[in-house]
Each structure stands twice: as C-alpha cells, then as structure tokens.
PDB file of all heavy atoms in Angstrom:
ATOM      1  N   GLU G  16      -6.903   5.171  -5.006  1.00  0.00           N
ATOM      2  CA  GLU G  16      -5.719   4.603  -4.493  1.00  0.00           C
ATOM      3  C   GLU G  16      -5.361   5.029  -3.102  1.00  0.00           C
ATOM      4  O   GLU G  16      -4.944   4.240  -2.238  1.00  0.00           O
ATOM      5  CB  GLU G  16      -4.568   4.823  -5.480  1.00  0.00           C
ATOM      6  CG  GLU G  16      -4.650   4.105  -6.832  1.00  0.00           C
ATOM      7  CD  GLU G  16      -3.453   4.255  -7.698  1.00  0.00           C
ATOM      8  OE1 GLU G  16      -2.387   4.668  -7.120  1.00  0.00           O
ATOM      9  OE2 GLU G  16      -3.562   3.979  -8.881  1.00  0.00           O
ATOM     10  N   MET G  17      -5.555   6.353  -2.879  1.00  0.00           N
ATOM     11  CA  MET G  17      -5.304   6.840  -1.507  1.00  0.00           C
ATOM     12  C   MET G  17      -6.266   6.257  -0.502  1.00  0.00           C
ATOM     13  O   MET G  17      -5.842   5.961   0.608  1.00  0.00           O
ATOM     14  CB  MET G  17      -5.467   8.366  -1.539  1.00  0.00           C
ATOM     15  CG  MET G  17      -4.352   9.104  -2.243  1.00  0.00           C
ATOM     16  SD  MET G  17      -4.728  10.898  -2.473  1.00  0.00           S
ATOM     17  CE  MET G  17      -4.977  11.365  -0.792  1.00  0.00           C
ATOM     18  N   LEU G  18      -7.479   6.050  -0.870  1.00  0.00           N
ATOM     19  CA  LEU G  18      -8.485   5.459   0.017  1.00  0.00           C
ATOM     20  C   LEU G  18      -8.142   3.999   0.402  1.00  0.00           C
ATOM     21  O   LEU G  18      -8.160   3.622   1.526  1.00  0.00           O
ATOM     22  CB  LEU G  18      -9.843   5.519  -0.701  1.00  0.00           C
ATOM     23  CG  LEU G  18     -11.055   4.980   0.053  1.00  0.00           C
ATOM     24  CD1 LEU G  18     -11.352   5.818   1.299  1.00  0.00           C
ATOM     25  CD2 LEU G  18     -12.273   4.939  -0.874  1.00  0.00           C
ATOM     26  N   VAL G  19      -7.788   3.262  -0.639  1.00  0.00           N
ATOM     27  CA  VAL G  19      -7.380   1.850  -0.432  1.00  0.00           C
ATOM     28  C   VAL G  19      -6.134   1.828   0.461  1.00  0.00           C
ATOM     29  O   VAL G  19      -6.011   1.006   1.371  1.00  0.00           O
ATOM     30  CB  VAL G  19      -7.174   1.116  -1.724  1.00  0.00           C
ATOM     31  CG1 VAL G  19      -6.599  -0.278  -1.518  1.00  0.00           C
ATOM     32  CG2 VAL G  19      -8.476   1.061  -2.563  1.00  0.00           C
ATOM     33  N   SER G  20      -5.181   2.715   0.127  1.00  0.00           N
ATOM     34  CA  SER G  20      -3.913   2.779   0.934  1.00  0.00           C
ATOM     35  C   SER G  20      -4.257   3.043   2.379  1.00  0.00           C
ATOM     36  O   SER G  20      -3.681   2.389   3.314  1.00  0.00           O
ATOM     37  CB  SER G  20      -3.016   3.880   0.363  1.00  0.00           C
ATOM     38  OG  SER G  20      -1.924   4.057   1.211  1.00  0.00           O
ATOM     39  N   GLU G  21      -5.123   4.051   2.675  1.00  0.00           N
ATOM     40  CA  GLU G  21      -5.451   4.365   4.080  1.00  0.00           C
ATOM     41  C   GLU G  21      -6.186   3.223   4.756  1.00  0.00           C
ATOM     42  O   GLU G  21      -5.898   3.022   5.969  1.00  0.00           O
ATOM     43  CB  GLU G  21      -6.289   5.601   4.071  1.00  0.00           C
ATOM     44  CG  GLU G  21      -6.636   6.153   5.469  1.00  0.00           C
ATOM     45  CD  GLU G  21      -5.378   6.585   6.303  1.00  0.00           C
ATOM     46  OE1 GLU G  21      -4.323   6.882   5.637  1.00  0.00           O
ATOM     47  OE2 GLU G  21      -5.481   6.715   7.477  1.00  0.00           O
ATOM     48  N   ALA G  22      -7.021   2.553   4.042  1.00  0.00           N
ATOM     49  CA  ALA G  22      -7.744   1.415   4.718  1.00  0.00           C
ATOM     50  C   ALA G  22      -6.729   0.299   5.035  1.00  0.00           C
ATOM     51  O   ALA G  22      -6.859  -0.286   6.148  1.00  0.00           O
ATOM     52  CB  ALA G  22      -8.777   0.845   3.671  1.00  0.00           C
ATOM     53  N   PHE G  23      -5.708   0.061   4.227  1.00  0.00           N
ATOM     54  CA  PHE G  23      -4.755  -0.971   4.616  1.00  0.00           C
ATOM     55  C   PHE G  23      -3.883  -0.489   5.786  1.00  0.00           C
ATOM     56  O   PHE G  23      -3.447  -1.304   6.567  1.00  0.00           O
ATOM     57  CB  PHE G  23      -3.835  -1.322   3.401  1.00  0.00           C
ATOM     58  CG  PHE G  23      -4.524  -2.289   2.427  1.00  0.00           C
ATOM     59  CD1 PHE G  23      -4.682  -2.014   1.116  1.00  0.00           C
ATOM     60  CD2 PHE G  23      -4.932  -3.529   2.902  1.00  0.00           C
ATOM     61  CE1 PHE G  23      -5.272  -2.888   0.227  1.00  0.00           C
ATOM     62  CE2 PHE G  23      -5.491  -4.432   2.046  1.00  0.00           C
ATOM     63  CZ  PHE G  23      -5.671  -4.084   0.690  1.00  0.00           C
ATOM     64  N   ARG G  24      -3.560   0.784   5.793  1.00  0.00           N
ATOM     65  CA  ARG G  24      -2.790   1.328   6.962  1.00  0.00           C
ATOM     66  C   ARG G  24      -3.558   1.074   8.264  1.00  0.00           C
ATOM     67  O   ARG G  24      -2.964   0.751   9.243  1.00  0.00           O
ATOM     68  CB  ARG G  24      -2.523   2.802   6.802  1.00  0.00           C
ATOM     69  CG  ARG G  24      -1.395   3.167   5.845  1.00  0.00           C
ATOM     70  CD  ARG G  24      -0.983   4.587   5.967  1.00  0.00           C
ATOM     71  NE  ARG G  24       0.096   4.952   5.079  1.00  0.00           N
ATOM     72  CZ  ARG G  24      -0.048   5.404   3.848  1.00  0.00           C
ATOM     73  NH1 ARG G  24      -1.320   5.619   3.398  1.00  0.00           N
ATOM     74  NH2 ARG G  24       0.922   5.634   3.079  1.00  0.00           N
ATOM     75  N   ARG G  25      -4.907   1.277   8.182  1.00  0.00           N
ATOM     76  CA  ARG G  25      -5.712   1.041   9.416  1.00  0.00           C
ATOM     77  C   ARG G  25      -5.695  -0.425   9.823  1.00  0.00           C
ATOM     78  O   ARG G  25      -6.001  -0.722  10.982  1.00  0.00           O
ATOM     79  CB  ARG G  25      -7.156   1.496   9.140  1.00  0.00           C
ATOM     80  CG  ARG G  25      -7.297   2.955   8.835  1.00  0.00           C
ATOM     81  CD  ARG G  25      -7.146   3.875  10.013  1.00  0.00           C
ATOM     82  NE  ARG G  25      -7.338   5.283   9.650  1.00  0.00           N
ATOM     83  CZ  ARG G  25      -8.492   5.972   9.752  1.00  0.00           C
ATOM     84  NH1 ARG G  25      -9.571   5.279  10.196  1.00  0.00           N
ATOM     85  NH2 ARG G  25      -8.600   7.190   9.380  1.00  0.00           N
ATOM     86  N   GLN G  26      -5.366  -1.326   8.926  1.00  0.00           N
ATOM     87  CA  GLN G  26      -5.271  -2.720   9.224  1.00  0.00           C
ATOM     88  C   GLN G  26      -3.864  -3.063   9.783  1.00  0.00           C
ATOM     89  O   GLN G  26      -3.629  -4.250  10.059  1.00  0.00           O
ATOM     90  CB  GLN G  26      -5.570  -3.578   8.028  1.00  0.00           C
ATOM     91  CG  GLN G  26      -7.033  -3.468   7.543  1.00  0.00           C
ATOM     92  CD  GLN G  26      -7.306  -4.432   6.356  1.00  0.00           C
ATOM     93  OE1 GLN G  26      -6.364  -4.958   5.723  1.00  0.00           O
ATOM     94  NE2 GLN G  26      -8.513  -4.586   6.015  1.00  0.00           N
ATOM     95  N   GLY G  27      -3.018  -2.128   9.896  1.00  0.00           N
ATOM     96  CA  GLY G  27      -1.702  -2.374  10.508  1.00  0.00           C
ATOM     97  C   GLY G  27      -0.586  -2.575   9.520  1.00  0.00           C
ATOM     98  O   GLY G  27       0.538  -2.949   9.916  1.00  0.00           O
ATOM     99  N   TYR G  28      -0.846  -2.371   8.196  1.00  0.00           N
ATOM    100  CA  TYR G  28       0.159  -2.529   7.201  1.00  0.00           C
ATOM    101  C   TYR G  28       1.073  -1.238   7.123  1.00  0.00           C
ATOM    102  O   TYR G  28       0.562  -0.160   7.317  1.00  0.00           O
ATOM    103  CB  TYR G  28      -0.408  -2.736   5.806  1.00  0.00           C
ATOM    104  CG  TYR G  28      -0.983  -4.171   5.607  1.00  0.00           C
ATOM    105  CD1 TYR G  28      -2.371  -4.370   5.731  1.00  0.00           C
ATOM    106  CD2 TYR G  28      -0.206  -5.256   5.286  1.00  0.00           C
ATOM    107  CE1 TYR G  28      -2.911  -5.562   5.507  1.00  0.00           C
ATOM    108  CE2 TYR G  28      -0.721  -6.504   5.048  1.00  0.00           C
ATOM    109  CZ  TYR G  28      -2.147  -6.640   5.191  1.00  0.00           C
ATOM    110  OH  TYR G  28      -2.656  -7.905   5.020  1.00  0.00           O
ATOM    111  N   THR G  29       2.315  -1.420   6.776  1.00  0.00           N
ATOM    112  CA  THR G  29       3.099  -0.312   6.312  1.00  0.00           C
ATOM    113  C   THR G  29       2.968  -0.253   4.781  1.00  0.00           C
ATOM    114  O   THR G  29       3.173  -1.277   4.110  1.00  0.00           O
ATOM    115  CB  THR G  29       4.642  -0.527   6.665  1.00  0.00           C
ATOM    116  OG1 THR G  29       4.788  -0.597   8.080  1.00  0.00           O
ATOM    117  CG2 THR G  29       5.477   0.599   6.134  1.00  0.00           C
ATOM    118  N   VAL G  30       2.531   0.888   4.310  1.00  0.00           N
ATOM    119  CA  VAL G  30       2.179   1.001   2.862  1.00  0.00           C
ATOM    120  C   VAL G  30       3.104   1.948   2.139  1.00  0.00           C
ATOM    121  O   VAL G  30       3.421   3.055   2.562  1.00  0.00           O
ATOM    122  CB  VAL G  30       0.722   1.544   2.767  1.00  0.00           C
ATOM    123  CG1 VAL G  30       0.310   1.547   1.311  1.00  0.00           C
ATOM    124  CG2 VAL G  30      -0.248   0.666   3.572  1.00  0.00           C
ATOM    125  N   ARG G  31       3.591   1.453   0.966  1.00  0.00           N
ATOM    126  CA  ARG G  31       4.338   2.328   0.090  1.00  0.00           C
ATOM    127  C   ARG G  31       3.544   2.448  -1.185  1.00  0.00           C
ATOM    128  O   ARG G  31       3.191   1.464  -1.830  1.00  0.00           O
ATOM    129  CB  ARG G  31       5.693   1.743  -0.195  1.00  0.00           C
ATOM    130  CG  ARG G  31       6.540   2.628  -1.184  1.00  0.00           C
ATOM    131  CD  ARG G  31       8.045   2.352  -1.122  1.00  0.00           C
ATOM    132  NE  ARG G  31       8.382   0.990  -1.482  1.00  0.00           N
ATOM    133  CZ  ARG G  31       8.636   0.653  -2.750  1.00  0.00           C
ATOM    134  NH1 ARG G  31       8.522   1.546  -3.720  1.00  0.00           N
ATOM    135  NH2 ARG G  31       8.954  -0.555  -3.039  1.00  0.00           N
ATOM    136  N   GLU G  32       3.263   3.691  -1.553  1.00  0.00           N
ATOM    137  CA  GLU G  32       2.466   3.939  -2.738  1.00  0.00           C
ATOM    138  C   GLU G  32       3.389   4.092  -3.998  1.00  0.00           C
ATOM    139  O   GLU G  32       4.287   4.979  -3.973  1.00  0.00           O
ATOM    140  CB  GLU G  32       1.617   5.186  -2.550  1.00  0.00           C
ATOM    141  CG  GLU G  32       0.624   5.052  -1.429  1.00  0.00           C
ATOM    142  CD  GLU G  32      -0.079   6.343  -1.125  1.00  0.00           C
ATOM    143  OE1 GLU G  32       0.328   7.370  -1.651  1.00  0.00           O
ATOM    144  OE2 GLU G  32      -1.029   6.323  -0.281  1.00  0.00           O
ATOM    145  N   THR G  33       3.165   3.338  -5.007  1.00  0.00           N
ATOM    146  CA  THR G  33       4.036   3.381  -6.168  1.00  0.00           C
ATOM    147  C   THR G  33       3.293   3.853  -7.454  1.00  0.00           C
ATOM    148  O   THR G  33       3.822   4.274  -8.406  1.00  0.00           O
ATOM    149  CB  THR G  33       4.669   1.995  -6.544  1.00  0.00           C
ATOM    150  OG1 THR G  33       3.559   1.084  -6.892  1.00  0.00           O
ATOM    151  CG2 THR G  33       5.338   1.404  -5.315  1.00  0.00           C
ATOM    152  N   GLY G  34       1.911   3.850  -7.362  1.00  0.00           N
ATOM    153  CA  GLY G  34       1.140   4.086  -8.535  1.00  0.00           C
ATOM    154  C   GLY G  34       0.757   5.554  -8.699  1.00  0.00           C
ATOM    155  O   GLY G  34       0.412   5.944  -9.834  1.00  0.00           O
ATOM    156  N   LEU G  35       0.901   6.421  -7.630  1.00  0.00           N
ATOM    157  CA  LEU G  35       0.440   7.782  -7.765  1.00  0.00           C
ATOM    158  C   LEU G  35       1.281   8.607  -8.704  1.00  0.00           C
ATOM    159  O   LEU G  35       0.892   9.704  -9.191  1.00  0.00           O
ATOM    160  CB  LEU G  35       0.342   8.400  -6.383  1.00  0.00           C
ATOM    161  CG  LEU G  35      -0.685   7.777  -5.482  1.00  0.00           C
ATOM    162  CD1 LEU G  35      -0.695   8.506  -4.116  1.00  0.00           C
ATOM    163  CD2 LEU G  35      -2.070   7.879  -6.064  1.00  0.00           C
ATOM    164  N   ASP G  36       2.532   8.177  -9.060  1.00  0.00           N
ATOM    165  CA  ASP G  36       3.342   8.962  -9.925  1.00  0.00           C
ATOM    166  C   ASP G  36       3.307   8.482 -11.374  1.00  0.00           C
ATOM    167  O   ASP G  36       4.010   8.997 -12.200  1.00  0.00           O
ATOM    168  CB  ASP G  36       4.847   8.917  -9.475  1.00  0.00           C
ATOM    169  CG  ASP G  36       5.432   7.568  -9.475  1.00  0.00           C
ATOM    170  OD1 ASP G  36       4.726   6.583  -9.823  1.00  0.00           O
ATOM    171  OD2 ASP G  36       6.659   7.400  -9.207  1.00  0.00           O
ATOM    172  N   GLY G  37       2.427   7.502 -11.578  1.00  0.00           N
ATOM    173  CA  GLY G  37       2.158   6.969 -12.931  1.00  0.00           C
ATOM    174  C   GLY G  37       3.262   6.047 -13.400  1.00  0.00           C
ATOM    175  O   GLY G  37       3.249   5.646 -14.586  1.00  0.00           O
ATOM    176  N   SER G  38       4.155   5.578 -12.530  1.00  0.00           N
ATOM    177  CA  SER G  38       5.235   4.633 -12.990  1.00  0.00           C
ATOM    178  C   SER G  38       5.150   3.373 -12.184  1.00  0.00           C
ATOM    179  O   SER G  38       6.125   2.861 -11.661  1.00  0.00           O
ATOM    180  CB  SER G  38       6.562   5.323 -12.817  1.00  0.00           C
ATOM    181  OG  SER G  38       6.796   5.722 -11.441  1.00  0.00           O
ATOM    182  N   ASP G  39       3.955   2.850 -12.069  1.00  0.00           N
ATOM    183  CA  ASP G  39       3.738   1.733 -11.165  1.00  0.00           C
ATOM    184  C   ASP G  39       4.135   0.388 -11.714  1.00  0.00           C
ATOM    185  O   ASP G  39       4.398  -0.554 -10.935  1.00  0.00           O
ATOM    186  CB  ASP G  39       2.259   1.651 -10.768  1.00  0.00           C
ATOM    187  CG  ASP G  39       1.330   1.483 -11.925  1.00  0.00           C
ATOM    188  OD1 ASP G  39       1.710   2.002 -13.021  1.00  0.00           O
ATOM    189  OD2 ASP G  39       0.306   0.876 -11.798  1.00  0.00           O
ATOM    190  N   GLY G  40       4.209   0.232 -13.056  1.00  0.00           N
ATOM    191  CA  GLY G  40       4.556  -1.077 -13.608  1.00  0.00           C
ATOM    192  C   GLY G  40       3.530  -2.134 -13.244  1.00  0.00           C
ATOM    193  O   GLY G  40       3.845  -3.356 -13.128  1.00  0.00           O
ATOM    194  N   GLY G  41       2.226  -1.755 -12.981  1.00  0.00           N
ATOM    195  CA  GLY G  41       1.216  -2.709 -12.637  1.00  0.00           C
ATOM    196  C   GLY G  41       0.989  -2.824 -11.094  1.00  0.00           C
ATOM    197  O   GLY G  41       0.066  -3.510 -10.679  1.00  0.00           O
ATOM    198  N   ILE G  42       1.783  -2.218 -10.317  1.00  0.00           N
ATOM    199  CA  ILE G  42       1.728  -2.285  -8.873  1.00  0.00           C
ATOM    200  C   ILE G  42       1.414  -0.895  -8.338  1.00  0.00           C
ATOM    201  O   ILE G  42       2.123   0.038  -8.551  1.00  0.00           O
ATOM    202  CB  ILE G  42       3.027  -2.847  -8.226  1.00  0.00           C
ATOM    203  CG1 ILE G  42       3.378  -4.226  -8.760  1.00  0.00           C
ATOM    204  CG2 ILE G  42       2.940  -2.862  -6.740  1.00  0.00           C
ATOM    205  CD1 ILE G  42       4.784  -4.692  -8.376  1.00  0.00           C
ATOM    206  N   ASP G  43       0.334  -0.815  -7.592  1.00  0.00           N
ATOM    207  CA  ASP G  43      -0.066   0.512  -7.059  1.00  0.00           C
ATOM    208  C   ASP G  43       0.411   0.690  -5.598  1.00  0.00           C
ATOM    209  O   ASP G  43       0.746   1.825  -5.224  1.00  0.00           O
ATOM    210  CB  ASP G  43      -1.582   0.641  -7.090  1.00  0.00           C
ATOM    211  CG  ASP G  43      -2.098   0.661  -8.525  1.00  0.00           C
ATOM    212  OD1 ASP G  43      -1.499   1.358  -9.380  1.00  0.00           O
ATOM    213  OD2 ASP G  43      -3.075  -0.003  -8.835  1.00  0.00           O
ATOM    214  N   LEU G  44       0.338  -0.365  -4.851  1.00  0.00           N
ATOM    215  CA  LEU G  44       0.732  -0.333  -3.438  1.00  0.00           C
ATOM    216  C   LEU G  44       1.619  -1.518  -3.084  1.00  0.00           C
ATOM    217  O   LEU G  44       1.418  -2.600  -3.652  1.00  0.00           O
ATOM    218  CB  LEU G  44      -0.464  -0.319  -2.481  1.00  0.00           C
ATOM    219  CG  LEU G  44      -1.591   0.624  -2.778  1.00  0.00           C
ATOM    220  CD1 LEU G  44      -2.774   0.333  -1.892  1.00  0.00           C
ATOM    221  CD2 LEU G  44      -1.097   2.105  -2.585  1.00  0.00           C
ATOM    222  N   ILE G  45       2.556  -1.281  -2.159  1.00  0.00           N
ATOM    223  CA  ILE G  45       3.351  -2.425  -1.629  1.00  0.00           C
ATOM    224  C   ILE G  45       3.078  -2.429  -0.099  1.00  0.00           C
ATOM    225  O   ILE G  45       3.405  -1.441   0.575  1.00  0.00           O
ATOM    226  CB  ILE G  45       4.822  -2.243  -1.975  1.00  0.00           C
ATOM    227  CG1 ILE G  45       5.028  -2.279  -3.487  1.00  0.00           C
ATOM    228  CG2 ILE G  45       5.577  -3.451  -1.331  1.00  0.00           C
ATOM    229  CD1 ILE G  45       6.491  -2.055  -3.887  1.00  0.00           C
ATOM    230  N   LEU G  46       2.580  -3.536   0.410  1.00  0.00           N
ATOM    231  CA  LEU G  46       2.223  -3.673   1.825  1.00  0.00           C
ATOM    232  C   LEU G  46       3.333  -4.481   2.483  1.00  0.00           C
ATOM    233  O   LEU G  46       3.806  -5.487   1.958  1.00  0.00           O
ATOM    234  CB  LEU G  46       0.879  -4.350   2.001  1.00  0.00           C
ATOM    235  CG  LEU G  46      -0.269  -3.823   1.185  1.00  0.00           C
ATOM    236  CD1 LEU G  46      -1.558  -4.609   1.542  1.00  0.00           C
ATOM    237  CD2 LEU G  46      -0.533  -2.347   1.370  1.00  0.00           C
ATOM    238  N   GLN G  47       3.668  -4.095   3.698  1.00  0.00           N
ATOM    239  CA  GLN G  47       4.597  -4.829   4.544  1.00  0.00           C
ATOM    240  C   GLN G  47       3.932  -5.020   5.928  1.00  0.00           C
ATOM    241  O   GLN G  47       3.457  -4.086   6.536  1.00  0.00           O
ATOM    242  CB  GLN G  47       5.892  -4.038   4.726  1.00  0.00           C
ATOM    243  CG  GLN G  47       6.665  -3.769   3.477  1.00  0.00           C
ATOM    244  CD  GLN G  47       7.502  -4.935   3.014  1.00  0.00           C
ATOM    245  OE1 GLN G  47       7.679  -5.888   3.771  1.00  0.00           O
ATOM    246  NE2 GLN G  47       8.000  -4.890   1.798  1.00  0.00           N
ATOM    247  N   ARG G  48       3.983  -6.239   6.384  1.00  0.00           N
ATOM    248  CA  ARG G  48       3.481  -6.575   7.735  1.00  0.00           C
ATOM    249  C   ARG G  48       3.972  -7.955   8.111  1.00  0.00           C
ATOM    250  O   ARG G  48       3.936  -8.934   7.365  1.00  0.00           O
ATOM    251  CB  ARG G  48       1.947  -6.583   7.784  1.00  0.00           C
ATOM    252  CG  ARG G  48       1.356  -6.615   9.198  1.00  0.00           C
ATOM    253  CD  ARG G  48      -0.147  -6.454   9.276  1.00  0.00           C
ATOM    254  NE  ARG G  48      -0.814  -7.588   8.743  1.00  0.00           N
ATOM    255  CZ  ARG G  48      -2.112  -7.694   8.658  1.00  0.00           C
ATOM    256  NH1 ARG G  48      -2.890  -6.682   9.093  1.00  0.00           N
ATOM    257  NH2 ARG G  48      -2.729  -8.716   8.079  1.00  0.00           N
ATOM    258  N   ASP G  49       4.540  -8.051   9.346  1.00  0.00           N
ATOM    259  CA  ASP G  49       5.074  -9.328   9.873  1.00  0.00           C
ATOM    260  C   ASP G  49       6.070  -9.911   8.938  1.00  0.00           C
ATOM    261  O   ASP G  49       6.167 -11.155   8.817  1.00  0.00           O
ATOM    262  CB  ASP G  49       3.868 -10.282  10.143  1.00  0.00           C
ATOM    263  CG  ASP G  49       2.874  -9.747  11.136  1.00  0.00           C
ATOM    264  OD1 ASP G  49       3.273  -8.958  12.038  1.00  0.00           O
ATOM    265  OD2 ASP G  49       1.701 -10.059  11.040  1.00  0.00           O
ATOM    266  N   GLY G  50       6.913  -9.109   8.287  1.00  0.00           N
ATOM    267  CA  GLY G  50       7.944  -9.648   7.474  1.00  0.00           C
ATOM    268  C   GLY G  50       7.460 -10.118   6.052  1.00  0.00           C
ATOM    269  O   GLY G  50       8.290 -10.589   5.236  1.00  0.00           O
ATOM    270  N   ALA G  51       6.193  -9.967   5.775  1.00  0.00           N
ATOM    271  CA  ALA G  51       5.640 -10.400   4.485  1.00  0.00           C
ATOM    272  C   ALA G  51       5.409  -9.204   3.578  1.00  0.00           C
ATOM    273  O   ALA G  51       5.043  -8.104   4.107  1.00  0.00           O
ATOM    274  CB  ALA G  51       4.340 -11.223   4.704  1.00  0.00           C
ATOM    275  N   THR G  52       5.603  -9.406   2.309  1.00  0.00           N
ATOM    276  CA  THR G  52       5.368  -8.332   1.277  1.00  0.00           C
ATOM    277  C   THR G  52       4.161  -8.712   0.382  1.00  0.00           C
ATOM    278  O   THR G  52       4.126  -9.806  -0.143  1.00  0.00           O
ATOM    279  CB  THR G  52       6.636  -8.138   0.398  1.00  0.00           C
ATOM    280  OG1 THR G  52       7.736  -7.761   1.189  1.00  0.00           O
ATOM    281  CG2 THR G  52       6.366  -7.071  -0.634  1.00  0.00           C
ATOM    282  N   THR G  53       3.262  -7.763   0.288  1.00  0.00           N
ATOM    283  CA  THR G  53       2.065  -7.995  -0.527  1.00  0.00           C
ATOM    284  C   THR G  53       1.966  -6.906  -1.605  1.00  0.00           C
ATOM    285  O   THR G  53       2.071  -5.717  -1.292  1.00  0.00           O
ATOM    286  CB  THR G  53       0.795  -8.003   0.310  1.00  0.00           C
ATOM    287  OG1 THR G  53       0.863  -8.989   1.268  1.00  0.00           O
ATOM    288  CG2 THR G  53      -0.499  -8.280  -0.540  1.00  0.00           C
TER     289      THR G  53
END
C-alpha cells in the first residue's frame, strides 16, 4: 500500500492513506487532483 501510495504521489496526486490502520472500509487510498476524488 505504501508503494502504491508513493507511486501515485509521483504522478502529482495528493494521497490520503486510510487502509494502513485497518479501518479502511474497502478503501485503501483517497487521491485528490484537479478537484477530482479517486
């Protein structure tokens, strides 16, 4: 998860990690870029 997170950061995303604490609810990362949420 950290690796994928860092790769997205290098693509210019702002990344919030939600899955590393075990309470992700199915979502590990939340990406923000150009006003869009992924």
Side-chain angles (χ1 to χ4, degrees):
E16 289 185 18
M17 289 171 56
L18 180 66
V19 174
S20 173
E21 184 65 19
F23 280 124
R24 282 194 180 91
R25 299 285 181 94
Q26 292 184 350
Y28 288 99
T29 298
V30 183
R31 179 160 64 87
E32 297 172 351
T33 67
L35 294 180
D36 63 357
S38 58
D39 59 329
I42 301 170
D43 297 315
L44 309 173
I45 299 177
L46 312 181
Q47 299 279 347
R48 191 174 70 180
D49 301 328
T52 299
T53 301

